[in-house]
Amino acid sequence: MAGAGGDMQWCLSQAKGSLDDDVTEADIISTLEFNHTGELLATGDKGGRIVIFQQEIENKRQPQYRSEYNVYSTFQSHEPEFDYLKSLEIEEKINKIRWIPQKNAAHFLLSTNDKTIKLWKISERDKRPEGYNLKEEDGRYRDPSTVTSLRVPVFRPMDLMVEASPRKVFANAHTYHINSVSVNSDNETYLSADDLRINLWHLEITDRSFNIVDIKPANMEELTEVITAAEFHPHQCNTFVYSSSKGTIRMCDMRASALCDKHSKMFEEPEDPSNRSFFSEIISSISDVKFSHSGRYMMTRDYLSVKIWDLNMESKPVETYQVHEYLRSKLCSLYENDCIFDKFECCWNGNDSMVMTGSYNNFFRMFDRDHRWDVTLEASRENSKPFQVIKPRKVCAGGKRKKDEISVDSLDFNKKILHTAWHPQDSIIVVATTNNLYIFQDKMN
Amino acid sequence: CCDIRSLEVEDKVISPEKAEEAKLKARYPNLGHKPGGSDLLRKRLQKGQKYFDSGDYNMAKAKIKNKQLPTAAPEKTEITGDHIPTPQDLPQRKPSLVASKLAG
C-alpha cells in the first residue's frame, strides 16, 4: 500500500457525469460507498437512483496497474411518496448506502431515504435455459399439437446480465428523517438513526424493530440537540456511537441495557466560554462520524475541522485538522446563504494513516496523520488531464495573494464536495462534486 | 489616566468569529438569543415541503413532469374510429424513469 501522503501523486483516472452547467436536481449525488473489497462502488442520488460501478483492473501483476470503474448495475431504489397524515412529501433522495459483507455470489446493500430502508440483492446471470418443449425461444407458447419430439432443456451461456431486486423493505419505524444506517459486525443486525431515535433491526425481519436510543424530550420546547450520525463499532458488536448537533459523541454498550439512553462514554472537547459566539454551536455540530478500520479511533467532522478521537480518551480529541479555517471570518455570510449547515462527510484510508474530507470550490483535503502533512486538491476536468499528476491548491486567507493561490472571496460555495470515499485497499479515491464523480489514482501505487 | 493606545489594541483582539457575530446582529437585530436552540432544531426536524393535501401534491408533481418532458411526442397518431387498437398500434409509453447521467 501507499507510503507517506507527501509521496503520493494523484492523477485523474476517470470523471463521470454530465458536463452541463445546468444541474438537474435528480442527478445531485447524495451518497457514495465502496464495498468491503473495493471492487464495487455505489452512488445514490437525489432522484432515488443507485448506480453501481465495478473495478476492472488492467495488468494487475505490474506494479503500475491501472484500474477503471465501469457501470455494473443501475436501478431506481426509492420513489417519492406522500405522507397523508402530515401532508408532507417524502423525498426519494438516497441518504445512505451500506454494503453487507459478502456471503455468496450475490451482493447485498442497504439503501435508505428519509423514511424507508431497503435491502437490495444484486446478482449476476450469465446462463439461461434453452430448448423448452412448449415455449419458443422468444417466450411465445407453441401449439402442443405441433410438438412431435421431446428434448431436455439445457443451460447455455448468455451475455452477462446484472439484476437488482428488492429483497426486504424496512418501513414505518421512523417519525423523523433517517440520517444513518450501519451494519453490525455480527452480520445479522443493523441500526438506523433519525434526528431523535435509533432503531435496531434484524436483516431478515421487516415487521419489527427495537428502539435503542430515544432523545426526544417530553416537551418539544425543551429540545436542545439532535442526532446527526450513528455507527456500529467495526469489531465489537455490542458497541455503537452517535454524534449530536452540539458536537458531542456518545458511545453506547447494548449489553448494559435494552434502552441505551445512558451512554457508557461521552466524547466532548471542552470549549473556552470566552470564545463562545452565536455560531459556536452551529459550527460544532458533527456532520459525520467514522470509526477507523482498526476500531481504536473514531473521526468526526464538524463545519471547520476533522477530529480524531482515541476511544480510550473522552476528554478531548488526540488530533485536530483544520479543513478551511479561513471560513471563520465569513460565518455571517455562510449563515445567510445556509452554507453553514452543509453536512460534509469524511473517510479513512485502508490502513488508517490518512483521512480525507471535502470543502468548497470543488476542493478536497487530505491529512497524513503519521507525517503531519496535508494537501488541498481540486476535482475539476479543466485542471486535470488524464494521467497527469494534479497540482495542490492553496487558498489565500488575506493579505497578498500569491500567483496560483485563490482568495477566499473567489471561492464558489455552490461547488461543494460533501462525499468522498477511499478504496479499502488500493490507492484510489473517489470524490463527488454536485453531480459528477471523480476517480483519482496514485501514480506510485 | 488610561493610555489610548492600549484601548486600541484591545479592539483588535476580537476573534473573527465574534466580529462575524456582530455583523449578523447588526443585520438582523431581532435574531433570537438561542441560535442552536429549539427554533432552529425544530425547523430542521420538519424539513420538506408541506402541501395542502394529496390532491395538491399530485397536481404539483404533474406540473413538474410536464415541464420536464417538453418533447413529449407528437407520435400521437389518432387511432380512434377505424379499428380496435392492438398493443402494437399504441404509441410506446415513454419510460418515466430517466436514467442517471453517471451511467451514461
Side-chain angles (χ1 to χ4, degrees):
Chain A
M1 232 215 75
D7 296 334
M8 294 178 127
Q9 297 184 289
W10 295 102
C11 306
L12 178 62
S13 169
Q14 292 169 278
K16 296 175 182 295
S18 156
L19 291 160
D20 259 333
D21 271 335
D22 224 355
V23 179
T24 311
E25 227 180 287
D27 291 330
I28 295 174
I29 297 171
S30 52
T31 187
L32 196 56
E33 186 82 355
F34 272 111
N35 74 338
H36 295 81
T37 59
E39 186 209 350
L40 298 177
L41 173 70
T43 64
D45 64 23
K46 207 161 182 217
R49 300 164 301 191
I50 291 182
V51 182
I52 302 178
F53 299 91
Q54 184 184 43
Q55 185 179 24
E56 273 149 36
I57 303 173
E58 292 167 34
N59 308 320
K60 182 136 199 199
R61 287 195 210 94
Q62 288 189 14
Q64 283 203 354
Y65 62 83
R66 244 209 85 215
S67 68
E68 226 180 51
Y69 279 85
N70 299 313
V71 179
Y72 180 67
S73 172
T74 166
F75 56 95
Q76 185 80 30
S77 171
H78 287 70
E79 297 268 8
E81 284 174 68
F82 189 67
D83 181 340
Y84 294 93
L85 203 59
K86 299 183 189 159
S87 290
L88 281 175
E89 179 179 23
I90 301 172
E91 273 193 301
E92 67 274 36
K93 171 169 75 91
I94 310 293
N95 292 335
K96 280 286 177 326
I97 292 172
R98 288 285 182 259
W99 292 92
I100 314 282
Q102 197 175 9
K103 281 189 255 196
N104 53 39
H107 291 100
F108 288 86
L109 59 78
L110 286 172
S111 73
T112 187
N113 69 348
D114 282 338
K115 297 284 182 182
T116 305
I117 306 140
K118 294 187 185 180
L119 176 69
W120 286 89
K121 176 181 180 184
I122 296 109
S123 48
E124 293 184 3
R125 195 199 287 259
D126 61 357
K127 294 185 256 299
R128 68 155 174 244
E130 282 177 20
Y132 285 110
N133 293 291
L134 295 174
K135 267 200 293 191
E136 301 286 358
E137 297 308 334
D138 61 10
R140 277 181 301 146
Y141 284 99
R142 291 166 81 182
D143 179 355
S145 58
T146 63
V147 178
T148 52
S149 62
L150 288 179
R151 54 190 176 168
V152 177
V154 290
F155 274 100
R156 289 253 149 76
M158 62 180 248
D159 286 336
L160 179 66
M161 201 165 74
V162 181
E163 302 169 315
S165 57
R167 305 307 278 179
K168 299 266 189 269
V169 177
F170 304 90
N172 303 320
H174 286 278
T175 307
Y176 302 97
H177 301 294
I178 299 174
N179 52 54
S180 314
V181 156
S182 176
V183 184
N184 202 346
S185 53
D186 67 6
N187 279 348
E188 285 185 350
T189 57
Y190 74 93
L191 63 76
S192 58
D194 67 30
D195 291 314
L196 296 177
R197 298 193 179 100
I198 302 181
N199 293 332
L200 183 70
W201 302 83
H202 190 285
L203 284 166
E204 305 279 328
I205 298 168
T206 57
D207 63 355
R208 229 173 314 168
S209 139
F210 289 100
N211 176 243
I212 51 177
V213 172
D214 188 339
I215 64 167
K216 182 172 183 217
N219 181 0
M220 283 300 268
E221 304 273 320
E222 289 161 26
L223 182 67
T224 54
E225 66 185 324
V226 294
I227 297 170
T228 52
E231 194 177 61
F232 264 120
H233 189 277
H235 314 306
Q236 293 164 21
C237 58
N238 53 287
T239 305
F240 66 92
V241 294
Y242 67 93
S243 57
S244 85
S245 53
K246 272 186 154 175
T248 64
I249 309 103
R250 287 175 180 80
M251 176 181 279
C252 302
D253 186 336
M254 295 196 294
R255 298 169 301 187
S257 68
L259 192 59
C260 297
D261 278 357
K262 259 200 234 153
H263 53 263
S264 60
K265 287 193 188 179
M266 164 111 128
F267 298 81
E268 187 173 14
E269 183 164 24
E271 201 202 348
D272 183 356
S274 64
N275 278 339
R276 198 160 174 78
S277 78
F278 174 86
F279 304 109
S280 300
E281 195 176 299
I282 303 175
I283 61 173
S284 72
S285 175
I286 292 172
S287 49
D288 194 16
V289 67
K290 292 258 168 56
F291 277 105
S292 64
H293 293 94
S294 64
R296 180 133 179 239
Y297 299 95
M298 69 179 171
M299 162 166 56
T300 58
R301 174 70 155 101
D302 52 72
Y303 191 60
L304 298 177
S305 67
V306 160
K307 294 180 180 172
I308 312 279
W309 304 78
D310 182 325
L311 298 185
N312 297 315
M313 187 163 83
E314 301 163 62
S315 53
K316 60 180 175 133
V318 287
E319 292 150 46
T320 301
Y321 300 105
Q322 301 302 336
V323 181
H324 36 218
E325 179 67 16
Y326 46 79
L327 294 184
R328 203 179 283 270
S329 52
K330 300 283 167 202
L331 293 177
C332 181
S333 8
L334 293 168
Y335 179 85
E336 289 178 303
N337 62 20
D338 273 352
C339 282
I340 205 175
F341 301 106
D342 283 337
K343 300 200 184 86
F344 291 96
E345 291 177 5
C346 52
C347 62
W348 296 86
N349 73 343
N351 65 5
D352 300 336
S353 62
M354 295 185 61
V355 298
M356 171 167 62
T357 190
S359 178
Y360 294 104
N361 209 70
N362 283 347
F363 287 173
F364 58 101
R365 302 267 283 137
M366 254 186 224
F367 302 93
D368 182 332
R369 301 174 59 210
D370 301 330
H371 301 92
R372 302 262 137 208
W373 169 94
D374 67 272
V375 72
T376 304
L377 297 169
E378 182 181 3
S380 124
R381 284 187 227 235
E382 294 94 55
N383 297 336
S384 340
K385 295 207 185 81
F387 316 123
Q388 229 184 37
V389 179
I390 53 174
K391 275 194 330 184
R393 309 286 283 146
K394 196 125 202 265
V395 178
C396 166
K400 262 198 130 176
R401 185 177 75 89
K402 299 199 191 95
K403 177 184 162 228
D404 276 356
E405 282 186 358
I406 181 166
S407 84
V408 187
D409 297 309
S410 311
L411 294 175
D412 187 342
F413 290 96
N414 288 319
K415 293 192 177 166
K416 15 193 145 197
I417 290 181
L418 303 174
H419 311 284
T420 59
W422 208 310
H423 193 288
Q425 284 146 22
D426 302 341
S427 293
I428 297 171
I429 54 173
V430 183
V431 160
T433 57
T434 308
N435 63 341
N436 278 194
L437 214 59
Y438 287 80
I439 304 176
F440 296 95
Q441 196 171 346
D442 177 22
K443 212 165 185 180
M444 302 317 292
N445 272 316
Chain B
C1 182
C2 47
D3 189 338
I4 294 174
R5 276 173 300 166
S6 66
L7 285 172
E8 279 177 46
V9 167
E10 235 178 77
D11 276 337
K12 281 185 191 145
V13 173
I14 293 179
S15 75
E17 223 176 286
K18 291 236 168 95
E20 289 295 296
E21 179 176 13
K23 233 191 260 177
L24 194 70
K25 291 230 162 102
R27 287 187 205 175
Y28 307 100
N30 295 326
L31 206 56
H33 291 291
K34 281 194 300 171
S38 23
D39 285 339
L40 199 73
L41 289 178
R42 269 191 291 162
K43 192 171 138 200
R44 181 191 169 139
L45 289 182
Q46 203 202 48
K47 74 167 205 231
Q49 193 175 350
K50 214 160 170 118
Y51 291 88
F52 180 70
D53 62 11
S54 62
D56 185 24
Y57 170 72
N58 286 311
M59 294 279 285
K61 283 279 143 176
K63 271 201 201 121
I64 295 170
K65 271 217 176 113
N66 284 338
K67 276 193 205 142
Q68 273 186 353
L69 302 170
T71 55
E75 292 165 19
K76 291 183 238 161
T77 49
E78 294 296 320
I79 308 186
T80 54
D82 222 338
H83 63 279
I84 295 169
T86 58
Q88 285 89 324
D89 287 344
L90 291 173
Q92 282 298 310
R93 179 176 167 275
K94 268 216 155 76
S96 48
L97 242 57
V98 180
S100 165
K101 295 191 184 103
L102 287 183

